Amino acid sequence: MMTKQGNRSGYYLLYLFMMGLFLGIMFVNIRYEFWMKEDGILNLTMLEQLRESNFNGSYLFGYIVKHRISTVLIIGILASTIIGLPILYGYVCYLGISAGCILSVAVFRYGIRGLFFMAASIFPQMLLFIPGYLLLFSWGLECNKNLYGKNGNMEGFYLNRKQQIGKSIIRFAGIIFLFMAGCVLESYVNPQMLHFILKIF
């Protein structure tokens, strides 16, 4: 029963992301002038600054870890509360909207080159962040279902409380480690790839 509920919740997350992606694309189309103004996101000046920048990997790592890991911790903590499911669903929808907006702006501004730029801006760290987010959401859903689900096995949960908590902590630590590894790629590898793409952009 829990597996079926988990699969159903996973589908809901996918639907919410796709819905957010569609909404993001729609927002850019509706407010085209706002998003396409000269000082807007992904403008030529911004790309030129990125092209000429010398990235400090150590500084980037500290900055990225602070934001990425703090987000993971907040999502993890909130997932164990009564409002955990709305938070997870809302965050997934937010990710979809953000992706839709940025992708649309990149394509509108630069056409097919915009797709290459977007691919370069998320590679290779997304090879770790995508499974990291999937594991985080799966962990959050399972944690919330065990605590508050109508069909949750509460008796078993309390009888094996220490074991459940221990497994949950280990899984969450693994998720954080995965995000930390992604932060290393985003700080030290991705800037080099982005520079290469921008030189031939």
Side-chain angles (χ1 to χ4, degrees):
M1 179 65 71
M2 289 298 293
T3 301
K4 291 181 179 179
Q5 289 180 345
N7 290 337
R8 191 181 304 119
S9 297
Y11 289 132
Y12 288 158
L13 292 177
L14 178 61
Y15 295 151
L16 282 171
F17 180 82
M18 297 305 296
M19 183 186 301
L21 190 69
F22 174 77
L23 288 174
I25 294 171
M26 187 174 66
F27 289 158
V28 174
N29 280 272
I30 293 175
R31 297 291 306 278
Y32 182 85
E33 294 79 8
F34 172 80
W35 291 96
M36 294 297 111
K37 57 186 180 181
E38 292 185 3
D39 59 345
I41 62 172
L42 300 182
N43 59 70
L44 286 173
T45 302
M46 181 184 298
L47 295 189
E48 186 63 29
Q49 290 175 345
L50 285 173
R51 184 185 294 115
E52 300 300 327
S53 297
N54 292 318
F55 294 102
N56 184 322
S58 299
Y59 173 80
L60 271 179
F61 181 73
Y63 176 84
I64 292 170
V65 165
K66 177 182 176 181
H67 287 79
R68 296 286 189 189
I69 302 303
S70 62
T71 299
V72 173
L73 290 174
I74 290 172
I75 294 296
I77 292 171
L78 291 177
S80 64
T81 68
I82 193 67
I83 61 171
L85 288 183
I87 292 296
L88 287 174
Y89 292 154
Y91 186 68
V92 170
C93 192
Y94 163 77
L95 290 177
I97 291 173
S98 300
C101 288
I102 296 176
L103 184 62
S104 296
V105 171
V107 172
F108 279 136
R109 285 191 185 277
Y110 307 110
I112 191 66
R113 294 184 303 159
L115 292 177
F116 285 112
F117 171 78
M118 291 306 301
S121 66
I122 65 174
F123 189 83
Q125 66 269 22
M126 279 301 165
L127 295 177
L128 296 179
F129 286 152
I130 290 176
Y133 276 119
L134 292 176
L135 290 172
L136 175 63
F137 296 144
S138 174
W139 178 90
L141 289 171
E142 182 178 332
C143 179
N144 197 272
K145 290 289 185 181
N146 283 333
L147 290 171
Y148 308 106
K150 293 181 180 180
N151 297 318
N153 186 11
M154 296 300 293
E155 182 180 356
F157 178 80
Y158 285 114
L159 287 174
N160 302 287
R161 189 173 184 83
K162 289 184 179 181
Q163 184 179 4
Q164 291 282 353
I165 292 175
K167 288 182 178 180
S168 184
I169 290 175
I170 291 173
R171 285 181 60 191
F172 192 67
I175 292 169
I176 291 179
F177 177 79
L178 191 60
F179 272 92
M180 290 288 291
C183 290
V184 172
L185 295 180
E186 189 173 9
S187 303
Y188 294 97
V189 180
N190 176 255
Q192 305 302 322
M193 299 191 63
L194 201 55
H195 264 165
F196 174 76
I197 292 296
L198 287 175
K199 286 180 180 179
I200 60 176
F201 193 70

